[in-house]
Amino acid sequence: MVNKAYRRARMADRTATFVLYAVAGFFLLLLAAFAIYVISKGIASYTPKYIGFKTNGIGLALFNTIYVVFVSLLFSVPFGILAGIYMAEYALPGKLTSIIRTCIETLSSLPSIVVGLFGLLVFVDLTHSTVSIIAGGLTLSVLNIPLITRNTEDAIRDIPDTYREGSYALGTTKWQTIVRVLVPSCVNRIVTGIILAAGRCFGEAAALIYTTGMSGFINYNDWNPLHPRSLLSPFRPANTLSVHIWYLKSFAIMPEKDQIANMAAALLMILVLAFNLGARAAGRSLERKMLGTQEKTKKSRQEGKPHGI
């Protein structure tokens, strides 16, 4: 009976493992096929004159995409991480904390078109301003802050209590423990949340149609960010790559619209992949820097040397 139960459990384990590997492999193949399809169509449609900053070029849309993502992360990353730290380390269990967590989960699941209308009402109409990069960045922050908050909270909560106890035993304060022990220990997971938030920013179109609009006249010789026609101004309208693709596929009448849209889609895909790889590398480098003392101590012990020699 024992052998039969063992064989049955082992067979179930192998079956579950095979199914999970098959599902993971399927999604990897699907992602690879999608990326190859989009990038290959973009390469086939490549024309040098459409890469620049001229009227039909996608250079300005590329710059606007990076600018909007930067503005959004500038607001959402600090607030999201601090909110996640509060929920994980300071919020007391109770009805209020439960309500806050429910609100965070609800915000993270809102349709982007609804958030876009909210951004239009709050960041454009109520401020008596026009559609702009800053309005789009703030609108995307409404989508990103709940995602980063929940990811940071889960990452900090998963750290064993021995980390906290060891830090407190050395006489550190709660904030010092958070900044010097807990956050460095889960920085990779926090970076993962930031990557997910940035990926949503890169591909977002519905929310930005209402808040950033389409680019107007740009004076490329004006580098003053306070001037509304300057390329660096956060108060000017700006179409991102995703909005530009939507416009080309929906309303554009130029004969090369499909060709330009294919190039823009391939460029957007490459931009997202490059950002993900760069953020991963930066996260690993930051983790090694933050935990460098621990790694040095471990290496010294393996070599039989006192730490610091």
Side-chain angles (χ1 to χ4, degrees):
M1 286 295 293
V2 176
N3 289 335
K4 284 185 178 181
Y6 173 75
R7 284 196 298 268
R8 193 179 301 112
R10 190 173 181 182
M11 181 61 66
D13 178 71
R14 288 181 176 179
T15 303
T17 302
F18 173 78
V19 171
L20 292 175
Y21 272 108
V23 171
F26 169 76
F27 281 108
L28 285 175
L29 289 175
L30 184 64
L31 176 62
F34 179 73
I36 292 172
Y37 174 77
V38 173
I39 294 175
S40 62
K41 287 199 69 174
I43 293 175
S45 303
Y46 173 75
T47 304
K49 67 178 180 179
Y50 295 129
I51 294 295
F53 285 78
K54 295 182 180 180
T55 305
N56 295 332
I58 58 177
L60 179 59
L62 172 63
F63 177 82
N64 292 337
T65 302
I66 298 174
Y67 200 171
V68 170
V69 172
F70 171 76
V71 171
S72 175
L73 295 181
L74 190 65
F75 288 102
S76 57
V77 170
F79 284 104
I81 292 177
L82 290 175
I85 291 173
Y86 169 79
M87 294 298 296
E89 295 295 319
Y90 290 97
L92 299 176
K95 290 185 178 180
L96 179 60
T97 301
S98 179
I99 292 173
I100 294 174
R101 188 170 286 111
T102 302
C103 292
I104 292 173
E105 293 175 354
T106 303
L107 282 174
S108 63
S109 61
L110 282 178
S112 57
I113 190 72
V114 175
V115 178
L117 291 173
F118 170 81
L120 175 64
L121 174 64
V122 175
F123 303 123
V124 178
D125 293 342
L126 291 182
T127 58
H128 303 289
S129 59
T130 59
V131 292
S132 61
I133 291 175
I134 190 71
L138 289 171
T139 302
L140 292 180
S141 296
V142 176
L143 291 169
N144 291 338
I145 288 177
L147 176 62
I148 298 176
T149 298
R150 195 56 194 268
N151 186 82
T152 303
E153 179 188 357
D154 292 340
I156 294 177
R157 281 184 178 276
D158 288 343
I159 297 175
D161 289 335
T162 53
Y163 282 59
R164 299 172 178 82
E165 294 167 357
S167 179
Y168 294 148
L170 295 175
T172 60
T173 63
K174 188 177 185 67
W175 181 248
Q176 288 174 331
T177 299
I178 292 171
V179 173
R180 299 185 181 182
V181 177
L182 300 184
V183 172
S185 299
C186 62
V187 67
N188 256 341
R189 291 186 59 179
I190 295 176
V191 170
T192 299
I194 296 173
I195 291 174
L196 293 175
R200 189 169 186 179
C201 291
F202 279 117
E204 189 56 58
L208 296 180
I209 291 172
Y210 296 102
T211 53
T212 60
M214 303 294 292
S215 296
F217 173 75
I218 301 296
N219 184 2
Y220 293 103
N221 295 321
D222 188 354
W223 296 97
N224 186 352
L226 298 180
H227 290 177
R229 298 296 183 182
S230 172
L231 181 66
L232 301 180
S233 175
F235 305 104
R236 64 175 176 85
N239 60 317
T240 61
L241 282 173
S242 55
V243 174
H244 194 54
I245 294 170
W246 166 80
Y247 169 76
L248 290 171
K249 289 293 186 179
S250 302
F251 300 103
I253 58 175
M254 64 183 69
E256 307 90 351
K257 64 176 185 177
D258 291 333
Q259 182 181 1
I260 300 174
N262 292 336
M263 292 173 55
L267 186 60
L268 182 60
M269 177 71 72
I270 294 172
L271 181 63
V272 172
L273 292 175
F275 178 84
N276 287 353
L277 294 175
R280 288 287 186 186
R284 287 193 294 267
S285 176
L286 184 62
E287 184 181 36
R288 285 195 298 268
K289 183 178 180 180
M290 287 182 165
L291 302 178
T293 304
Q294 298 180 14
E295 294 179 358
K296 186 176 179 180
T297 303
K298 183 178 179 181
K299 184 176 179 181
S300 299
R301 289 175 179 175
Q302 290 175 350
E303 295 176 353
K305 298 179 180 179
H307 177 54
I309 296 180

